Coordinates of all heavy atoms in Angstrom, one line a residue:
M1433 N -21.1 109.7 139.7 CA -21.4 110.7 138.7 C -22.6 110.3 137.9 O -22.7 109.2 137.3 CB -20.2 110.8 137.8 CG -20.3 111.8 136.7 SD -18.8 112.0 135.7 CE -18.9 110.6 134.6
A1434 N -23.6 111.1 137.9 CA -24.8 110.8 137.2 C -24.7 111.2 135.7 O -24.0 112.2 135.4 CB -26.0 111.6 137.8
S1435 N -25.3 110.4 134.9 CA -25.2 110.7 133.4 C -26.6 110.7 132.9 O -27.4 109.8 133.1 CB -24.4 109.6 132.7 OG -24.4 109.8 131.4
Y1436 N -27.0 111.8 132.3 CA -28.3 112.0 131.7 C -28.2 111.9 130.2 O -27.5 112.7 129.6 CB -28.9 113.3 132.1 CG -29.1 113.4 133.6 CD1 -28.1 114.0 134.4 CD2 -30.1 112.8 134.3 CE1 -28.3 114.1 135.8 CE2 -30.3 112.8 135.6 CZ -29.3 113.5 136.4 OH -29.4 113.5 137.7
L1437 N -28.9 110.9 129.6 CA -28.7 110.7 128.1 C -30.0 111.2 127.4 O -31.1 111.1 127.9 CB -28.6 109.2 127.8 CG -27.3 108.6 128.4 CD1 -27.3 107.1 128.2 CD2 -26.1 109.2 127.8
N1438 N -29.8 111.8 126.3 CA -30.9 112.3 125.5 C -31.7 111.1 125.0 O -31.1 110.1 124.5 CB -30.2 113.0 124.3 CG -31.3 113.7 123.4 OD1 -32.4 113.2 123.3 ND2 -30.9 114.8 122.8
E1439 N -33.0 111.2 125.1 CA -33.9 110.1 124.7 C -33.7 109.7 123.2 O -33.9 108.6 122.8 CB -35.3 110.5 125.0 CG -35.6 110.7 126.4 CD -36.1 109.5 127.1 OE1 -36.6 108.6 126.5 OE2 -35.9 109.5 128.4
S1440 N -33.3 110.6 122.4 CA -33.1 110.4 121.0 C -31.8 109.7 120.6 O -31.6 109.3 119.5 CB -33.3 111.7 120.2 OG -32.2 112.5 120.5
E1441 N -30.9 109.5 121.6 CA -29.6 108.9 121.3 C -29.8 107.4 121.1 O -30.6 106.7 121.8 CB -28.7 109.1 122.4 CG -28.1 110.5 122.5 CD -27.2 110.6 123.7 OE1 -27.4 110.1 124.7 OE2 -26.2 111.3 123.5
S1442 N -29.1 106.8 120.2 CA -29.2 105.4 120.0 C -28.3 104.7 121.0 O -27.5 105.3 121.6 CB -28.7 105.0 118.6 OG -27.3 105.2 118.5
S1443 N -28.5 103.4 121.2 CA -27.7 102.6 122.2 C -26.3 102.6 121.7 O -25.3 102.6 122.5 CB -28.2 101.2 122.3 OG -28.2 100.5 121.1
N1444 N -26.0 102.7 120.4 CA -24.6 102.7 119.9 C -24.0 104.1 120.3 O -22.8 104.1 120.7 CB -24.6 102.5 118.4 CG -23.2 102.4 117.9 OD1 -22.4 101.7 118.5 ND2 -22.9 103.0 116.8
D1445 N -24.7 105.2 120.2 CA -24.2 106.5 120.6 C -23.8 106.5 122.1 O -22.8 107.0 122.5 CB -25.2 107.6 120.3 CG -25.4 107.9 118.8 OD1 -24.5 107.5 118.0 OD2 -26.5 108.4 118.5
R1446 N -24.7 105.9 122.9 CA -24.4 105.8 124.3 C -23.2 105.0 124.6 O -22.4 105.3 125.5 CB -25.6 105.3 125.1 CG -26.7 106.3 125.2 CD -27.9 105.7 125.9 NE -28.7 105.2 124.8 CZ -30.0 104.9 124.9 NH1 -30.6 104.9 126.0 NH2 -30.6 104.5 123.9
F1447 N -23.0 103.8 123.9 CA -21.8 103.0 124.1 C -20.6 103.7 123.7 O -19.6 103.7 124.4 CB -22.0 101.7 123.2 CG -20.7 100.9 123.3 CD1 -20.5 100.1 124.4 CD2 -19.8 100.9 122.3 CE1 -19.3 99.3 124.5 CE2 -18.6 100.1 122.4 CZ -18.4 99.3 123.5
E1448 N -20.6 104.5 122.6 CA -19.4 105.2 122.2 C -19.0 106.3 123.2 O -17.9 106.4 123.5 CB -19.6 105.9 120.8 CG -19.6 104.9 119.7 CD -19.9 105.6 118.3 OE1 -19.8 106.8 118.3 OE2 -20.2 104.8 117.4
K1449 N -20.0 106.9 123.8 CA -19.7 107.9 124.8 C -19.2 107.3 126.1 O -18.2 107.7 126.7 CB -21.0 108.7 125.2 CG -21.3 109.7 124.1 CD -22.5 110.5 124.5 CE -22.9 111.5 123.4 NZ -24.1 112.2 123.7
A1450 N -19.7 106.2 126.5 CA -19.3 105.5 127.7 C -17.9 104.9 127.5 O -17.1 104.8 128.4 CB -20.3 104.3 128.0
S1451 N -17.6 104.5 126.3 CA -16.3 103.8 126.1 C -15.1 104.8 125.9 O -14.0 104.5 125.7 CB -16.3 102.9 124.8 OG -16.6 103.6 123.7
T1452 N -15.4 106.1 125.9 CA -14.4 107.1 125.7 C -13.8 107.6 127.0 O -12.9 108.4 127.0 CB -14.9 108.4 124.9 OG1 -16.0 109.0 125.7 CG2 -15.4 108.0 123.5
V1453 N -14.2 107.0 128.1 CA -13.7 107.4 129.4 C -12.3 106.8 129.5 O -12.1 105.6 129.2 CB -14.5 106.8 130.6 CG1 -13.8 107.0 131.9 CG2 -15.9 107.4 130.6
D1454 N -11.3 107.6 129.8 CA -9.9 107.1 129.9 C -9.3 107.5 131.3 O -10.0 108.0 132.1 CB -9.1 107.6 128.7 CG -9.0 109.1 128.6 OD1 -9.3 109.8 129.6 OD2 -8.7 109.6 127.6
A1455 N -8.0 107.3 131.4 CA -7.3 107.6 132.7 C -7.4 109.1 133.1 O -7.5 109.4 134.2 CB -5.9 107.2 132.6
I1456 N -7.5 110.0 132.1 CA -7.6 111.4 132.3 C -8.9 111.7 132.9 O -9.0 112.4 133.9 CB -7.3 112.2 131.0 CG1 -5.9 112.0 130.6 CG2 -7.6 113.7 131.3 CD1 -5.6 112.6 129.2
D1457 N -10.0 111.1 132.4 CA -11.3 111.3 132.9 C -11.4 110.8 134.4 O -12.0 111.5 135.3 CB -12.4 110.5 132.1 CG -12.5 111.0 130.7 OD1 -12.5 112.3 130.5 OD2 -12.6 110.2 129.8
L1458 N -10.8 109.7 134.6 CA -10.8 109.1 136.0 C -10.0 110.0 137.0 O -10.4 110.2 138.1 CB -10.2 107.7 136.0 CG -11.0 106.7 135.2 CD1 -10.3 105.3 135.1 CD2 -12.4 106.5 135.7
L1459 N -8.9 110.6 136.5 CA -8.1 111.5 137.4 C -8.9 112.7 137.7 O -8.8 113.3 138.8 CB -6.8 111.8 136.8 CG -5.7 110.7 136.9 CD1 -4.5 111.0 136.0 CD2 -5.3 110.5 138.4
L1460 N -9.7 113.2 136.8 CA -10.5 114.4 137.0 C -11.6 114.1 138.1 O -12.1 115.0 138.7 CB -11.1 114.9 135.7 CG -10.1 115.5 134.7 CD1 -10.8 115.7 133.4 CD2 -9.6 116.8 135.3
Q1461 N -11.8 112.8 138.3 CA -12.9 112.3 139.2 C -12.3 111.9 140.6 O -13.0 111.9 141.6 CB -13.7 111.2 138.6 CG -14.5 111.6 137.4 CD -15.1 110.4 136.8 OE1 -15.3 109.4 137.4 NE2 -15.5 110.6 135.5
G1462 N -11.1 111.4 140.6 CA -10.6 110.9 141.9 C -9.1 110.4 141.8 O -8.4 110.6 140.8
P1463 N -8.6 109.8 142.9 CA -7.2 109.4 143.0 C -6.8 108.2 142.2 O -7.6 107.4 141.7 CB -7.1 109.1 144.5 CG -8.4 108.6 144.9 CD -9.4 109.4 144.1
K1464 N -5.5 108.1 142.1 CA -4.8 106.9 141.4 C -3.5 106.6 142.1 O -3.0 107.5 142.8 CB -4.6 107.3 140.0 CG -3.9 106.2 139.2 CD -3.6 106.7 137.8 CE -2.9 105.5 137.0 NZ -1.7 105.9 136.4
D1465 N -3.1 105.4 142.1 CA -1.8 105.0 142.7 C -0.7 105.8 142.0 O -0.7 106.1 140.8 CB -1.5 103.5 142.5 CG -2.4 102.6 143.3 OD1 -3.0 103.1 144.3 OD2 -2.6 101.5 142.9
R1466 N 0.3 106.2 142.8 CA 1.4 107.0 142.4 C 2.6 106.2 142.1 O 2.9 105.2 142.8 CB 1.7 108.1 143.4 CG 0.6 109.1 143.6 CD 1.1 110.2 144.5 NE 0.1 111.2 144.5 CZ -0.4 111.7 145.6 NH1 0.0 111.3 146.8 NH2 -1.4 112.6 145.6
S1467 N 3.4 106.5 141.1 CA 4.6 105.9 140.8 C 5.8 106.8 141.2 O 5.6 107.9 141.7 CB 4.7 105.6 139.2 OG 4.7 106.8 138.5
K1468 N 7.0 106.3 141.1 CA 8.2 107.0 141.4 C 8.3 108.3 140.5 O 8.0 108.2 139.3 CB 9.5 106.2 141.3 CG 10.7 106.9 141.8 CD 11.9 105.9 141.7 CE 13.1 106.7 142.2 NZ 14.3 105.8 142.1
R1469 N 8.6 109.4 141.1 CA 8.5 110.7 140.4 C 9.8 111.4 140.4 O 10.6 111.3 141.3 CB 7.5 111.6 141.0 CG 6.1 111.0 141.0 CD 5.5 111.2 139.6 NE 4.3 110.4 139.5 CZ 3.1 110.9 139.8 NH1 2.9 112.0 140.4 NH2 2.0 110.1 139.6
V1470 N 10.0 112.3 139.4 CA 11.2 113.2 139.4 C 10.5 114.6 139.1 O 9.7 114.8 138.2 CB 12.1 112.9 138.3 CG1 13.2 113.9 138.2 CG2 12.7 111.5 138.4
Y1471 N 10.9 115.6 140.0 CA 10.3 116.9 139.8 C 10.9 117.7 138.7 O 12.1 117.7 138.5 CB 10.5 117.7 141.1 CG 10.0 119.1 141.0 CD1 8.6 119.4 141.1 CD2 10.8 120.2 140.7 CE1 8.1 120.7 140.9 CE2 10.3 121.5 140.5 CZ 9.0 121.7 140.6 OH 8.5 122.9 140.4
R1472 N 10.1 118.3 137.9 CA 10.5 119.2 136.8 C 9.5 120.4 136.8 O 8.3 120.2 137.1 CB 10.4 118.6 135.4 CG 11.3 117.4 135.2 CD 12.7 117.9 135.0 NE 13.6 116.9 134.5 CZ 14.4 116.1 135.3 NH1 14.4 116.3 136.6 NH2 15.1 115.2 134.8
G1473 N 10.0 121.6 136.6 CA 9.1 122.8 136.6 C 8.9 123.2 135.1 O 9.7 123.2 134.3
F1474 N 7.6 123.5 134.8 CA 7.2 123.9 133.5 C 6.3 125.1 133.6 O 5.6 125.3 134.6 CB 6.5 122.8 132.7 CG 7.4 121.6 132.4 CD1 7.4 120.5 133.3 CD2 8.2 121.6 131.3 CE1 8.2 119.5 133.0 CE2 9.0 120.6 131.1 CZ 9.0 119.5 131.9
Y1475 N 6.2 125.9 132.6 CA 5.2 127.0 132.5 C 4.0 126.5 131.7 O 4.2 125.8 130.7 CB 5.9 128.2 131.8 CG 7.0 128.9 132.6 CD1 8.3 128.6 132.4 CD2 6.6 129.8 133.6 CE1 9.3 129.2 133.1 CE2 7.6 130.4 134.3 CZ 9.0 130.1 134.1 OH 9.9 130.6 134.8
F1476 N 2.8 126.9 132.1 CA 1.6 126.5 131.5 C 0.9 127.7 131.0 O 0.8 128.8 131.6 CB 0.7 125.7 132.4 CG 1.3 124.4 132.8 CD1 2.0 124.3 134.0 CD2 1.2 123.3 132.0 CE1 2.5 123.0 134.4 CE2 1.7 122.1 132.4 CZ 2.4 121.9 133.6
D1477 N 0.2 127.6 129.9 CA -0.7 128.6 129.4 C -2.0 128.6 130.2 O -2.3 127.6 130.8 CB -1.1 128.4 127.9 CG 0.1 128.5 127.0 OD1 1.0 129.3 127.3 OD2 0.1 127.9 125.9
D1478 N -2.6 129.8 130.3 CA -3.8 130.0 131.2 C -4.9 128.9 130.9 O -5.5 128.4 131.8 CB -4.4 131.4 131.0 CG -3.5 132.4 131.7 OD1 -2.7 132.1 132.6 OD2 -3.6 133.6 131.3
D1479 N -5.2 128.6 129.6 CA -6.3 127.7 129.3 C -6.0 126.3 129.8 O -6.8 125.6 130.3 CB -6.6 127.7 127.8 CG -5.4 127.4 126.9 OD1 -4.3 127.5 127.3 OD2 -5.7 127.1 125.7
V1480 N -4.7 125.9 129.7 CA -4.3 124.6 130.1 C -4.3 124.5 131.7 O -4.8 123.6 132.3 CB -2.9 124.2 129.6 CG1 -2.4 122.9 130.2 CG2 -3.0 124.1 128.1
L1481 N -3.8 125.6 132.3 CA -3.7 125.6 133.7 C -5.1 125.6 134.4 O -5.3 125.0 135.4 CB -2.9 126.8 134.2 CG -2.6 126.9 135.6 CD1 -1.8 125.7 136.1 CD2 -1.8 128.2 135.9
S1482 N -6.1 126.2 133.7 CA -7.4 126.3 134.3 C -8.0 124.9 134.4 O -8.8 124.6 135.3 CB -8.3 127.2 133.4 OG -8.6 126.6 132.2
I1483 N -7.6 124.0 133.5 CA -8.1 122.6 133.6 C -7.3 121.8 134.7 O -7.9 121.1 135.5 CB -7.9 121.9 132.2 CG1 -8.9 122.5 131.2 CG2 -8.2 120.4 132.3 CD1 -8.7 122.1 129.8
I1484 N -6.0 122.0 134.7 CA -5.2 121.3 135.7 C -5.6 121.8 137.1 O -5.7 120.9 138.0 CB -3.7 121.7 135.5 CG1 -3.2 121.1 134.2 CG2 -2.9 121.2 136.7 CD1 -1.8 121.5 133.8
D1485 N -6.0 123.0 137.3 CA -6.4 123.5 138.6 C -7.8 123.0 139.1 O -8.2 123.2 140.2 CB -6.4 125.0 138.6 CG -5.0 125.6 138.7 OD1 -4.1 124.9 139.1 OD2 -4.8 126.8 138.4
R1486 N -8.5 122.3 138.2 CA -9.8 121.7 138.6 C -9.6 120.5 139.5 O -10.6 120.1 140.2 CB -10.6 121.3 137.3 CG -11.0 122.4 136.5 CD -11.8 121.8 135.3 NE -12.0 122.9 134.3 CZ -12.6 122.7 133.1 NH1 -12.9 121.4 132.8 NH2 -12.7 123.7 132.3
V1487 N -8.5 119.9 139.5 CA -8.3 118.7 140.3 C -7.6 119.1 141.6 O -6.9 120.1 141.7 CB -7.5 117.6 139.6 CG1 -8.2 117.1 138.3 CG2 -6.1 118.1 139.2
P1488 N -7.7 118.2 142.7 CA -7.0 118.5 143.9 C -5.5 118.6 143.7 O -5.0 117.9 142.8 CB -7.4 117.4 144.8 CG -8.7 116.8 144.3 CD -8.6 117.1 142.8
K1489 N -4.9 119.4 144.5 CA -3.4 119.6 144.4 C -2.6 118.3 144.3 O -1.7 118.1 143.5 CB -2.9 120.4 145.6 CG -1.4 120.7 145.5 CD -1.0 121.6 146.7 CE 0.4 121.9 146.6 NZ 0.9 122.7 147.7
S1490 N -3.0 117.3 145.1 CA -2.3 116.0 145.2 C -2.4 115.2 143.9 O -1.7 114.2 143.7 CB -2.7 115.2 146.4 OG -4.1 115.0 146.3
Y1491 N -3.3 115.6 143.0 CA -3.5 114.8 141.8 C -3.1 115.5 140.5 O -3.3 115.0 139.4 CB -5.0 114.3 141.7 CG -5.4 113.5 142.8 CD1 -6.5 113.9 143.6 CD2 -4.8 112.4 143.2 CE1 -6.8 113.2 144.8 CE2 -5.1 111.6 144.3 CZ -6.2 112.1 145.1 OH -6.5 111.4 146.2
K1492 N -2.6 116.7 140.6 CA -2.2 117.5 139.4 C -1.1 116.8 138.6 O -1.2 116.7 137.4 CB -1.8 118.9 139.8 CG -2.9 119.7 140.3 CD -2.4 121.1 140.8 CE -3.4 121.8 141.6 NZ -4.4 122.5 140.8
S1493 N -0.1 116.2 139.3 CA 0.9 115.5 138.6 C 0.4 114.3 137.8 O 0.8 114.0 136.7 CB 2.0 115.1 139.5 OG 2.7 116.2 140.1
E1494 N -0.5 113.5 138.5 CA -1.1 112.4 137.8 C -1.8 112.8 136.5 O -1.7 112.1 135.5 CB -2.0 111.6 138.7 CG -1.3 110.8 139.8 CD -1.0 111.6 141.0 OE1 -1.1 112.8 141.0 OE2 -0.7 110.9 142.0
L1495 N -2.6 113.9 136.6 CA -3.3 114.4 135.4 C -2.4 114.8 134.3 O -2.6 114.3 133.2 CB -4.2 115.6 135.8 CG -5.0 116.2 134.7 CD1 -6.0 115.3 134.1 CD2 -5.6 117.5 135.2
V1496 N -1.4 115.5 134.6 CA -0.4 115.9 133.6 C 0.3 114.7 133.0 O 0.5 114.6 131.8 CB 0.6 117.0 134.2 CG1 1.7 117.3 133.2 CG2 -0.1 118.3 134.6
N1497 N 0.7 113.8 133.8 CA 1.4 112.6 133.4 C 0.5 111.8 132.4 O 0.9 111.3 131.4 CB 1.8 111.7 134.5 CG 3.2 112.1 135.0 OD1 4.2 111.9 134.3 ND2 3.3 112.6 136.2
E1498 N -0.8 111.6 132.8 CA -1.7 110.8 132.0 C -2.0 111.5 130.7 O -2.1 110.9 129.6 CB -3.0 110.5 132.7 CG -2.8 109.5 133.8 CD -2.3 108.1 133.3 OE1 -2.7 107.7 132.1 OE2 -1.6 107.4 134.0
A1499 N -2.1 112.8 130.7 CA -2.4 113.6 129.5 C -1.2 113.5 128.5 O -1.4 113.2 127.3 CB -2.7 115.1 129.8
L1500 N 0.0 113.6 129.0 CA 1.2 113.5 128.2 C 1.3 112.1 127.7 O 1.7 111.8 126.5 CB 2.4 114.0 128.9 CG 2.5 115.5 129.2 CD1 3.7 115.8 130.1 CD2 2.6 116.2 127.9
R1501 N 1.1 111.1 128.6 CA 1.2 109.7 128.2 C 0.3 109.3 127.1 O 0.6 108.6 126.1 CB 0.9 108.8 129.4 CG 1.2 107.3 129.2 CD 1.1 106.5 130.5 NE 2.2 106.8 131.4 CZ 2.2 107.4 132.5 NH1 1.0 107.8 133.0 NH2 3.3 107.6 133.2
K1502 N -1.0 109.9 127.1 CA -2.0 109.6 126.1 C -1.5 110.1 124.8 O -1.6 109.4 123.7 CB -3.3 110.2 126.5 CG -4.4 110.0 125.5 CD -5.7 110.6 125.9 CE -6.8 110.4 124.9 NZ -8.0 110.9 125.3
V1503 N -1.0 111.4 124.7 CA -0.5 112.0 123.5 C 0.7 111.2 123.0 O 0.8 110.9 121.8 CB -0.1 113.5 123.7 CG1 0.6 114.0 122.5 CG2 -1.4 114.3 124.0
F1504 N 1.7 110.8 123.9 CA 2.9 110.1 123.4 C 2.5 108.7 122.9 O 3.1 108.3 121.9 CB 3.8 110.0 124.6 CG 4.4 111.3 125.0 CD1 5.0 111.5 126.3 CD2 4.5 112.4 124.2 CE1 5.5 112.7 126.7 CE2 5.0 113.6 124.6 CZ 5.5 113.8 125.8
K1505 N 1.5 108.1 123.4 CA 1.1 106.8 122.9 C 0.5 107.0 121.5 O 0.7 106.2 120.6 CB 0.1 106.1 123.9 CG 0.8 105.5 125.1 CD -0.2 104.8 126.0 CE 0.5 104.3 127.2 NZ -0.5 103.6 128.1
E1506 N -0.4 108.0 121.4 CA -1.0 108.2 120.1 C 0.0 108.5 119.0 O -0.2 108.2 117.8 CB -2.0 109.4 120.2 CG -3.2 109.1 121.0 CD -4.1 110.3 121.2 OE1 -3.7 111.4 120.8 OE2 -5.1 110.2 121.9
K1507 N 1.2 109.1 119.4 CA 2.2 109.4 118.4 C 3.2 108.3 118.3 O 4.2 108.4 117.5 CB 3.0 110.7 118.9 CG 2.1 111.9 119.0 CD 1.7 112.4 117.7 CE 0.8 113.7 117.8 NZ 0.3 114.1 116.5
G1508 N 3.0 107.2 118.9 CA 3.9 106.0 118.8 C 5.2 106.1 119.6 O 6.1 105.4 119.3
L1509 N 5.3 107.1 120.5 CA 6.5 107.3 121.3 C 6.5 106.4 122.5 O 7.6 106.1 123.1 CB 6.6 108.7 121.7 CG 6.7 109.7 120.5 CD1 6.6 111.1 121.0 CD2 8.0 109.5 119.7
L1510 N 5.4 105.9 123.0 CA 5.3 105.0 124.1 C 4.4 103.8 123.7 O 3.5 103.9 122.9 CB 4.6 105.7 125.3 CG 5.4 106.7 126.1 CD1 4.5 107.3 127.2 CD2 6.6 106.0 126.8
D1511 N 4.7 102.7 124.4 CA 3.8 101.5 124.1 C 2.6 101.5 125.0 O 2.5 101.9 126.0 CB 4.7 100.2 124.4 CG 5.8 100.1 123.5 OD1 5.7 100.5 122.3 OD2 6.9 99.5 123.9

């Protein structure tokens, strides 16, 4: 993935942008090891589904799991 930075950006700005890559960003780019799963069906709003549909079918569950895990950690519900 090529990254083009604005010449006027400071090195600190570039570091902050680079350090914001998380598991969700990585899943949007490629595969990840899978853990044991349990199937559940949910309804999604169109705006959310349009993002989920950007990844290959085999990685949609990973994306949803990582997105939920990130929110749950931020809320103190997961370690």
Side-chain angles (χ1 to χ4, degrees):
M1433 178 172 83
S1435 176
Y1436 299 98
L1437 298 173
N1438 184 331
E1439 300 269 336
S1440 64
E1441 289 180 318
S1442 71
S1443 60
N1444 189 41
D1445 291 338
R1446 283 177 269 197
F1447 175 76
E1448 286 178 16
K1449 286 181 183 178
S1451 66
T1452 61
V1453 174
D1454 59 18
I1456 295 170
D1457 296 319
L1458 297 175
L1459 282 170
L1460 290 169
Q1461 297 172 18
K1464 181 186 178 229
D1465 292 335
R1466 294 187 174 128
S1467 62
K1468 187 174 178 181
R1469 302 282 170 84
V1470 177
Y1471 177 80
R1472 296 287 192 263
F1474 295 96
Y1475 292 97
F1476 294 97
D1477 293 333
D1478 287 338
D1479 58 342
V1480 173
L1481 189 57
S1482 70
I1483 295 169
I1484 295 169
D1485 284 341
R1486 291 181 191 173
V1487 299
K1489 182 178 180 180
S1490 59
Y1491 303 120
K1492 291 178 192 280
S1493 292
E1494 284 88 346
L1495 176 63
V1496 172
N1497 274 291
E1498 287 300 328
L1500 291 172
R1501 188 173 286 114
K1502 181 178 179 178
V1503 171
F1504 293 157
K1505 284 181 181 180
E1506 290 172 359
K1507 299 293 182 183
L1509 299 170
L1510 285 175
D1511 295 329

